[in-house]
């Protein structure tokens, strides 16, 4: 059974960098789209972006200038860095596996999510 | 960005009821539409992909339909474990966007 687990600091100061890691167990890194999705308190889910197993990336344009994703296939992990954070980046961050079938991508496995609060 | 609008935002229903949730896209997404169930403190769960395909392991009381801009998720006979929040998501173009959610509550 595939499992995803987010890890990282739960509190980040304004203007600093939010760094999260997702560890994948029970399955291979390829050929999937490794994705971050977040949910600010009381708001809808927001797609942050993905990194493909081959290394290509796609980011939400609203965050693109501040986001970097990376993949460590040797550890079955992928990571999110979001710099220059503000209170608006406070959210539950989920990692998820994107699977493609006939050009349809769907997110079939998710982590339980980790709350990251931006506050001084 | 493609805007996804769900209705209703919340819904009260009883065990055994038939429930329909709608999702409308601001432009055509053909059938590039997924549905998820989310319970507080748990990982979201994929129910339906490509508008009408049932994800493996999901009970057959869940079904999806629609294409273009209008979609529905139907639960044919509500069970206690179905009370949750439901989200639609378009994967037609990036940024992939979600509806605001429909919270299904016990009447």
């Amino acid at each position: 059974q595939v499992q995803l687990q987010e890890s990282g600091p739960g509190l980040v100061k304004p203007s600093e960098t939010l760094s999260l890691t997702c560890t994948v167990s029970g399955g291979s890194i390829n050929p999937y789209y490794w994705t971050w999705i977040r949910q600010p308190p009381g708001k809808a889910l927001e797609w942050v972006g993905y990194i493909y197993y081959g290394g290509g990336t796609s980011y939400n344009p609203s965050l693109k200038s501040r986001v970097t994703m990376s993949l460590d296939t040797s550890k079955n992990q992928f990571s999110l860095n979001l710099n220059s954070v503000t209170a608006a980046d406070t959210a539950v961050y989920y990692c998820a596996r994107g699977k493609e079938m006939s050009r349809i991508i769907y997110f079939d496995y998710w982590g339980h999510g980790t709350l990251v609060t931006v506050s001084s | 960005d493609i805007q996804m609008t769900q209705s209703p935002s919340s819904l009260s229903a009883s065990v055994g009821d038939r429930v329909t949730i709608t999702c409308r896209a601001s432009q055509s997404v053909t059938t590039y539409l997924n549905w998820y169930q989310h319970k507080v403190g748990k990982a979201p769960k994929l129910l339906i992909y490509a508008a009408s395909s049932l994800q493996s392991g999901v009970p057959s009381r869940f079904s999806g339909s629609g294409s273009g801009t209008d979609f529905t998720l139907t639960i044919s006979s509500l069970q206690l474990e179905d009370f949750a929040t439901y989200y639609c998501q378009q994967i037609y173009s990036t940024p992939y966007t979600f509806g605001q959610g429909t919270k299904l509550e016990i009447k």
Side-chain angles (χ1 to χ4, degrees), chain B residues 66-86:
Chain B
S67 66
T69 60
D70 294 307
F71 301 87
T72 60
L73 172 71
T74 299
I75 309 172
S76 60
S77 178
L78 268 177
Q79 302 301 302
L80 205 56
E81 60 267 29
D82 300 337
F83 292 95
T85 300
Y86 293 84

Side-chain angles (χ1 to χ4, degrees), chain B residues 30-41:
Chain B
T30 64
T31 57
Y32 286 51
L33 190 286
N34 302 328
W35 288 97
Y36 300 88
Q37 177 193 68
H38 191 198
K39 297 181 180 180
V40 174

